[in-house]
Amino acid sequence: MDSALPPLAAYAARLGDDSLILGQRLGEWCGHAPALEVDLSLSNVALDLIGQATHFLGLAGAIEGAGRDADKLAFHRDVMDFSNCLLVEQPNGDFAQTIARQFLFSNYQALLFEQMAQVKDERFAPIAAKALKEVKYHATLASDWVVRLGDGTDESKTRMVAGLNWMWRFADELFVMDDVDAAAIANGAGVDKAALRAAWDARIDAVLAEATLARPAARRPIVGGRVGRHSEHLGHVLSAMQFLQRAYPGANW
Amino acid sequence: MYTTDLSGKKAKPEAAITENPAKLAAFEARVAADEFIEPKDWMPEAYRKTLIRQISQHAHSEIVGMLPEGNWITRAPNLRRKAILLAKVQDEAGHGLYLYCAAETLGVSRDEMTEALLSGKAKYSTIFNYPTLTWADIGAIGWLVDGAAIMNQVPLQRTSYGPYARAMVRICKEESFHQRQGYEIMMHLAAGTDAQKRMAQDALDRWWWPSLMMFGPPDDKSPNTEQSMRWRIKRDTNDELRQKFVDITAPQAEAIGLSVPDPALKWNETRGAYDFGDVDWEEFYAVVRGEGPVAKERNQARVKAWENGAWVREAARVHAEKRANAKIAAE
């Protein structure tokens, strides 16, 4: 977490970082997807996420009031100041792994934004309300693919199970609450994420059942993204993403 | 774009002659009267084949064209540029999709067209066999490559085959946005730091001549142009379009302080057009033969995407079949 950010700005930055890093990951697929229709849908999701990131990071900068805009936050922070969850920075892997990540995340994000669209804060609520429409589609898209791959061929099932196994250890982090969340709730901007867990479990279980897949066994959660303790992957994501801004400081693009 | 005939061979002239003369005459009269030919209408076999070749080549170009630009999505310099580039590459995928659908109305399947692309049998625009080395290349592609595409495609909105013409109407709207965003990138770079100016000039130096090649061989070396113009598949010759492109683009370069890498480029008052130097046609034909700088990389990327995606497409097919069977069983 960026220790320089006040709590409400940090809260907005977390939301922005989640969308940014996942959008960045999905952008890696562009031109390489299994079918043209999939290329279209993945880039569409990426585009939505980059839009959300722009809004939330812009808001984080505005709340901070130190002259940092969304680009400054996206392109000029290092790993330890990024506060996205570990799930979104996980590598794309094969298509099943990408879908597993999207499935777990978009279902969480849909529940989160449903609540956030109704918070009192007039900066957070409208962003969430707009994003909610997009995110519901992302969740449906990912859930449909989980069903197709889970209940498709033997190979697709094996791959879907492996993809879920890779991602599952990062799911708990989505629902972890800390002081930043508490401050955001106290200010009428935040959502009680822990309270979303039961609804999320129900959605995930329903899709897995339809996909003829077993729910992965519970395991020790891996957490830390919210406070800047990331996987090794994030540094590589940032080094590609931030390359131009770092190589040509002060240039206007 | 990407509508140049790259076959290099003259279509067999007997193809049209062996058709039913009455039907052929009626067809040609409709085309001459600027009527649209629709999928169920009678058409000469050579017309159908030319269209399949041209539309599928155009579709392949959209798909392969996603690669050089997709190369910069993860490295776009700010969030706005990243979003615009994502939207643009997404548009290209959409164009590919409409065009494959338009070609399918002529009796060829998307899988067949894809196989032809992957095996190297089908061609795509030579321009995409050049690499995108710096961010300025994304500007240059939008400005020059999409600019050239628009020159080619605007007349195709009135091409004689209805589904192709209608796909073109939609595509042209998006291409003009692509061209503008590319020029805007170049404007920013050209007005930027010395390093950015250098980047912009270098991109123009590398993309200028390949962009002129996009219009295809000179008219006297374009064997199928005459037939295609008579059937209104094509509405302007390669050289006419190339001239138009130079006339529009050269002042745009000047306006932002970039130099076109052609010492022979000069406004000709008498002709009311720019004179310009000779295109290196040897390079063009080498790229058509598959010897472009990154031709192997482009093909490998498409083959890999297709092969790595095989299990996904198979799973989707099997799943749909299971669902259909379950529905039948339930009824």
Side-chain angles (χ1 to χ4, degrees), chain A residues 70-251:
Chain A
D71 284 329
K72 196 82 186 163
L73 289 168
F75 295 91
H76 293 271
R77 284 178 300 157
D78 200 353
V79 165
M80 61 189 143
D81 288 330
F82 264 80
S83 56
N84 57 281
C85 60
L86 298 173
L87 178 65
V88 294
E89 70 196 44
Q90 294 307 304
N92 286 343
D94 64 5
F95 183 66
Q97 187 167 312
T98 290
I99 287 299
R101 184 182 63 202
Q102 200 68 44
F103 170 58
L104 303 182
F105 183 75
S106 294
N107 277 294
Y108 151 78
Q109 216 188 17
L111 290 164
L112 180 75
F113 288 163
E114 263 166 26
Q115 299 297 314
M116 195 175 291
Q118 293 163 37
V119 297
K120 258 198 347 239
D121 189 295
E122 287 172 0
R123 296 160 299 178
F124 285 82
I127 303 176
K130 179 177 178 287
L132 179 60
K133 290 182 204 134
E134 301 162 353
V135 168
K136 277 184 173 167
Y137 158 74
H138 306 169
T140 304
L141 178 84
S143 301
D144 287 351
W145 272 111
V146 169
V147 172
R148 266 186 221 116
L149 299 179
D151 188 23
T153 62
D154 289 346
E155 181 180 6
S156 69
K157 174 171 266 183
T158 306
R159 287 175 181 267
M160 196 63 243
V161 168
L164 285 166
N165 267 326
W166 183 277
M167 300 297 171
W168 198 253
R169 58 207 157 126
F170 306 110
D172 293 278
E173 186 186 29
L174 299 172
F175 306 98
V176 172
M177 297 286 288
D178 65 9
D179 292 349
V180 169
D181 295 291
I185 291 172
N187 280 287
V191 171
D192 181 356
K193 292 186 293 183
L196 305 175
R197 182 66 196 246
W200 183 84
D201 278 333
R203 287 186 183 196
I204 296 299
D205 287 348
V207 174
L208 291 177
E210 201 188 337
T212 68
L213 295 170
R215 182 184 173 90
R219 62 204 67 186
R220 186 169 171 272
I222 301 180
V223 298
R226 301 294 182 209
V227 292
R229 305 274 165 86
H230 289 276
S231 66
E232 290 175 346
H233 305 296
L234 185 63
H236 296 280
V237 172
L238 298 187
S239 66
M241 186 174 81
Q242 299 178 339
F243 150 67
L244 280 169
Q245 294 263 358
R246 303 289 198 181
Y248 300 93

Side-chain angles (χ1 to χ4, degrees), chain B residues 16-27:
Chain B
I17 298 165
T18 53
E19 302 281 1
N20 177 325
K23 283 184 173 175
L24 183 62
F27 167 86

Side-chain angles (χ1 to χ4, degrees), chain A residues 24 30-31 34 36-37 40 43-44 47 71 75 151-152 155-156 159 210 240-241 244-245 248 252-253, chain B residues 63 74-75 77-79 81-83 89-90 97 110 135 196 199 302 305 309 311 313 315 318-319 322-323:
Chain A
Q24 178 74 6
C30 201
L36 202 42
E37 288 81 353
L40 274 164
S43 54
N44 197 19
L47 192 55
D71 284 329
F75 295 91
D151 188 23
E155 181 180 6
S156 69
R159 287 175 181 267
E210 201 188 337
M241 186 174 81
L244 280 169
Q245 294 263 358
Y248 300 93
N252 172 15
W253 302 93
Chain B
I63 301 312
T74 59
R75 291 178 292 167
N78 58 39
L79 294 172
R81 295 287 181 206
K82 193 187 289 291
V89 182
Q90 192 187 16
L97 206 53
R110 205 206 302 181
W135 172 251
Q196 285 176 305
M199 198 188 271
R302 287 313 311 159
W311 68 269
R313 296 188 303 275
V318 169
H319 177 75
K322 284 186 191 177
R323 283 289 157 109

Side-chain angles (χ1 to χ4, degrees), chain B residues 85-153:
Chain B
L85 184 57
L86 263 167
K88 177 175 191 291
V89 182
Q90 192 187 16
D91 285 347
E92 315 287 6
H95 297 174
L97 206 53
Y98 317 145
L99 288 162
Y100 283 128
C101 291
E104 280 180 322
T105 63
L106 292 158
V108 58
S109 75
R110 205 206 302 181
D111 279 356
E112 285 170 309
M113 290 183 268
T114 303
E115 290 301 332
L117 171 67
L118 300 183
S119 71
K121 198 178 138 221
K123 303 289 183 196
Y124 55 87
S125 179
T126 50
I127 197 82
F128 299 121
N129 290 322
Y130 292 88
T132 47
L133 304 180
T134 71
W135 172 251
D137 291 23
I138 299 307
I141 288 183
W143 173 33
L144 303 174
V145 175
D146 291 295
I150 292 169
M151 298 285 156
N152 259 326
Q153 289 172 357

